[in-house]
Amino acid sequence: MLDTLISPQDAAALWLTLKLAAITTLVLLVLGTPLAWWLARTRWRGKLLIETVVALPLVLPPTVLGFYLLLLLGAQGPIQAMGGPAFAFTFTGLVIGSVFYSLPFVVQPLQNAFVAVGDATLEAAAALRAGPWDRFFTVVIPLSLRGFLTATTLGFAHTVGEFGVVLMIGGNIPGETQVVSIAIYDHVEAVDYASAHVLSALLLGLSFLMLFALYAINGRFRLTSA
């Protein structure tokens, strides 16, 4: 049915967008969980600096972040100068850029959830001879499920809606780096409002459903715990 609404190129852009969002969210959960745990537990004075760096994408123009990532990952950049590959204008480059750009949307909800667990709960688990790893997997994670749900939803949804970063670092290569937001921009430039409307409606519906499910599940958790 989708094939009758959008062109094969738009369908490829939609699939690439969902694939990018899924991989980026998975990478962010793997990397962001230990970072958020450390930020929630550390008393190091330099913590404020790390939190500021993590939060930068919230206020930094996406094109600025994309520009510096392009310099880092592009041809003649420091990575290629050290013998590494050039990731600019590749799907891998899109993933790297998306991880940086969506980092606070995953780390901050997890950090807040870990802080909410509290020292008393962990001390009680330690008194029962639970080791650090045991406490984390059997106490912290179950008590932080809402934080993980929020981080996953926001990380995925934010990646789906990216434009500036992916355009700077990935360009606009159909089937390789062209995501839905860029495809919409192309349709608007070509005055093809019908195609732009279909893709925009799909993103609008997807975003609404994800946020609605998030609020509904979190609301149910609140009612259950009350």
Side-chain angles (χ1 to χ4, degrees), residues 172-184:
N172 186 10
I173 307 173
E176 295 185 31
T177 62
Q178 186 187 65
V179 295
V180 172
S181 59
I182 297 176
I184 293 172

Side-chain angles (χ1 to χ4, degrees), residues 22-172:
I23 294 176
T24 298
T25 304
L26 180 61
V27 172
L28 281 171
L29 287 173
V30 172
L31 299 179
T33 298
L35 175 58
W37 176 249
W38 180 79
L39 289 173
R41 303 297 299 172
T42 185
R43 289 186 171 87
W44 180 51
R45 292 184 178 180
K47 168 187 172 180
L48 181 61
L49 175 63
I50 305 301
E51 288 180 319
T52 302
V53 172
V54 170
L56 264 179
L58 294 174
V59 296
L60 195 66
T63 49
V64 173
L65 178 60
F67 172 69
Y68 284 113
L69 285 173
L70 180 62
L71 294 181
L72 176 66
L73 304 176
Q76 300 180 350
I79 293 180
Q80 192 175 44
M82 292 184 293
F87 292 113
F89 308 111
T90 67
F91 181 77
T92 301
L94 291 186
V95 173
I96 295 173
S98 299
V99 166
F100 278 102
Y101 190 50
S102 295
L103 184 65
F105 291 86
V106 172
V107 171
Q108 290 185 352
L110 291 179
Q111 182 182 350
N112 293 335
F114 293 155
V115 169
V117 172
D119 293 334
T121 303
L122 296 175
E123 290 170 0
L128 295 174
R129 298 183 180 179
W133 289 104
D134 192 24
R135 293 197 297 270
F136 184 78
F137 284 104
T138 63
V139 177
V140 175
I141 289 183
L143 292 176
S144 305
L145 286 180
R146 284 174 57 186
F148 277 98
L149 175 63
T150 301
T152 301
T153 304
L154 293 181
F156 188 93
H158 189 251
T159 304
V160 167
E162 288 178 356
F163 179 78
V165 169
V166 293
L167 181 61
M168 291 290 289
I169 198 173
N172 186 10

